[in-house]
Amino acid sequence: MPYPGIADVDREAATARDDADAHATLRILLTAHYELTEMAAEQAQQLRALLLRGNGRDRNLSRGGLALNVLWHLARREPPHEATDHQIARNEEIRRLAAVLVAYRDELAANREHMATLVNDLVPGITAEPGMGPFKAAKAILDTGTFALDHSGNI
């Protein structure tokens, strides 16, 4: 059996480095996703608590989903006319928390897009498989070290 040439060894070493870098990047992106999700959940809980202390409309908002349009509305709402200092402070905190949640959604979307690009670069077409989103694919790649689809698209 012939020995590999220097170019083959260099190519294999570069590929191994690239794979290690990609795996490290996946770990960073997964960790960031979990941390952002956790922080967003905490902020949403604080926002719901503030809304629960408000009038009937605010209490109804706290019980429903905090959809993007609701968050935008809350982030831009003004305090009531002739508001007390407490109402103004409460309204400002609601605005701040809503704006923070909108920013978290944007960061999570960018994180998901970056992860989807990376996992599809490592294993082309993996996220096209039913039930295989970028996070599940990243976790599978990291758990197995390598990951591939066979000719029929099976994992």
Side-chain angles (χ1 to χ4, degrees):
M1 174 177 238
Y3 293 104
I6 297 292
D8 292 335
V9 171
D10 287 345
R11 192 174 319 112
E12 287 176 18
T15 301
R17 264 193 314 275
D18 290 346
D19 285 350
D21 288 347
H23 287 205
T25 303
L26 283 178
R27 279 197 245 356
I28 290 167
L29 290 172
L30 276 173
T31 301
H33 171 76
Y34 293 131
E35 288 176 359
L36 285 168
T37 301
E38 194 173 294
M39 289 186 297
E42 289 173 12
Q43 299 292 317
Q45 189 174 20
Q46 289 178 8
L47 178 58
R48 286 180 195 284
L50 280 172
L51 291 171
L52 274 172
R53 291 186 212 123
N55 59 23
R57 186 173 175 208
D58 280 356
R59 284 192 297 274
N60 286 338
L61 283 174
S62 75
R63 292 182 184 108
L66 293 175
L68 192 56
N69 62 335
V70 172
L71 292 173
W72 276 114
H73 167 75
L74 291 172
R76 291 189 307 255
R77 96 176 181 179
E78 296 295 324
H81 296 294
E82 300 179 20
T84 65
D85 288 342
H86 172 73
Q87 289 171 324
I88 291 171
R90 184 178 160 279
N91 190 70
E92 288 302 313
E93 184 62 4
I94 287 171
R95 289 177 63 158
R96 185 192 70 78
L97 288 168
V100 165
L101 286 170
V102 169
Y104 279 145
R105 283 180 182 224
D106 293 344
E107 287 184 49
L108 283 165
N111 176 280
R112 179 183 180 86
E113 186 177 314
H114 189 177
M115 194 170 315
T117 300
L118 185 57
V119 297
N120 281 309
D121 285 349
L122 290 170
V123 183
I126 189 167
T127 57
E129 294 299 312
M132 186 63 77
F135 303 109
K136 191 173 184 180
K139 186 129 176 52
I141 290 168
L142 291 173
D143 287 348
T144 61
T146 59
F147 202 77
L149 299 176
D150 64 17
H151 65 281
S152 62
N154 294 320
I155 297 170

